[in-house]
Amino acid sequence: MKATPNYNLIHADDDIIVLNKKSGLCVAADRYDEEAPRLDLLAQKEFGALFAVHRIDKDTSGIVVYARNAESHKNLCAQFAGRSVHKVYHCLVRGRPLWQDLKVSLALMPDGDARHRTVVSKTHGKPSVTEFHFIGACGPFSWLEARPLTGRTHQIRAHLSANNLSIVGDPLYSGNQRGVYLSELKKRWNGDPESERPLIDRLALHAWKISFTHPASGQQVEFVAPYPKDLEVTRKQLAKVFGVDPLNS
């Protein structure tokens, strides 16, 4: 798997490119920040012209699929619009849900307030559905699996916020910018609290898996994006202390 500072290549053929992007990169142009770094422009230097078929949030890491020609672009856009693409996200939240499985059906309106957040709106929102699964608790944190059945901006974050849960490192929806510190996890931690660095200090949301019909072969394909370094370190530490591992649940 070829790696760059901004993305890893998961798969490439004549019709599609599948990348694992780092947090902080836009998938395509950002209407609020024209200068924001863009994954498509960076990847085009290596792969040539790319056509966006879906988006994940700038601060979310993980799988992004691009088409490499007009025919594949049309096919994939139709699959996303028809909700036949299956997406799985993993996220680390603060607190513990009272449910094992939860299906959230709340109409969402992007750019619904002064902070450009997505808000629940029965009158102006679009139908939005996310299925959540509680993987396990790790002290003050919990691992969740999220399967968005629609593709609204900030959908997972907004649906969790509406159910009183916030993703680690999400200042936009939780107001809590504190990351995960090893001193929070280990009872016998002997480090220096003044110099301790967080295991992860950004949005702990990762687009982990995607499956769809290949636009040229017609075969069902599935791709998995390995956790980036900060999330992987966090996963290992939580698994070591609490015995809960989202990759082996």
Side-chain angles (χ1 to χ4, degrees):
M1 182 183 296
K2 185 176 181 179
T4 76
N6 298 298
Y7 62 85
N8 296 339
L9 174 62
I10 296 175
H11 172 84
D13 59 40
D14 291 339
D15 300 282
I16 62 172
I17 291 287
V18 184
L19 303 176
N20 183 2
K21 87 171 185 75
K22 74 170 188 177
S23 172
L25 279 178
C26 294
V27 171
D30 188 315
R31 57 178 172 168
Y32 304 115
D33 183 3
E34 295 181 356
E35 302 302 319
R38 289 171 51 181
L39 176 64
D40 58 343
L41 297 183
L42 294 170
Q44 280 177 175
K45 297 176 182 178
E46 181 176 359
F47 301 106
L50 299 176
F51 303 82
V53 296
H54 72 122
R55 292 174 182 258
I56 64 175
D57 296 347
K58 173 185 175 182
D59 295 325
T60 302
S61 60
I63 282 189
V64 178
V65 179
Y66 290 104
R68 302 190 75 178
N69 52 63
E71 293 78 10
S72 296
H73 181 242
K74 181 179 180 180
N75 181 293
L76 289 171
C77 284
Q79 290 189 55
F80 276 95
R83 303 181 185 177
S84 60
V85 177
H86 301 285
K87 298 163 286 184
V88 180
Y89 289 70
H90 285 172
C91 60
L92 186 67
V93 302
R94 290 189 177 273
R96 178 172 182 165
L98 300 178
W99 39 263
Q100 187 69 33
D101 294 283
L102 178 69
K103 185 173 184 178
V104 181
S105 299
L106 292 172
L108 297 178
M109 180 176 68
D111 198 14
D113 64 12
R115 298 183 66 190
H116 305 299
R117 290 182 295 189
T118 296
V119 301
V120 175
S121 175
K122 292 182 180 180
T123 55
H124 302 292
K126 294 183 178 180
S128 307
V129 183
T130 310
E131 295 177 343
F132 293 100
H133 173 69
F134 171 60
I135 296 173
C138 298
F141 308 103
S142 294
W143 285 108
L144 302 181
E145 177 182 285
R147 295 176 178 264
L149 305 186
T150 51
R152 312 302 178 202
T153 302
H154 296 176
Q155 178 174 312
I156 293 172
R157 298 159 75 180
H159 275 169
L160 283 175
S161 178
N163 283 273
N164 302 311
L165 287 170
S166 59
I167 299 175
V168 166
D170 187 358
L172 191 60
Y173 287 85
S174 70
N176 189 342
Q177 299 187 43
R178 181 176 173 81
V180 177
Y181 288 80
L182 192 59
S183 57
E184 287 186 273
L185 310 178
K186 290 189 174 182
K187 294 181 179 179
R188 297 180 179 178
W189 183 77
N190 298 316
D192 180 5
E194 296 296 327
S195 61
E196 183 186 12
R197 296 174 62 87
L199 301 175
I200 186 169
D201 61 355
R202 52 90 177 177
L203 183 71
L205 176 62
H206 183 68
W208 179 58
K209 184 188 297 185
I210 195 168
S211 60
F212 55 90
T213 301
H214 192 282
S217 70
Q219 298 296 311
Q220 189 74 9
V221 292
E222 180 178 276
F223 301 102
V224 171
Y227 284 11
K229 184 177 180 180
D230 55 0
L231 193 62
E232 177 66 5
V233 168
T234 303
R235 178 189 71 83
K236 287 182 176 179
Q237 288 291 346
L238 290 173
K240 183 178 180 180
V241 176
F242 299 103
V244 174
D245 188 342
L247 299 184
N248 294 289
S249 59

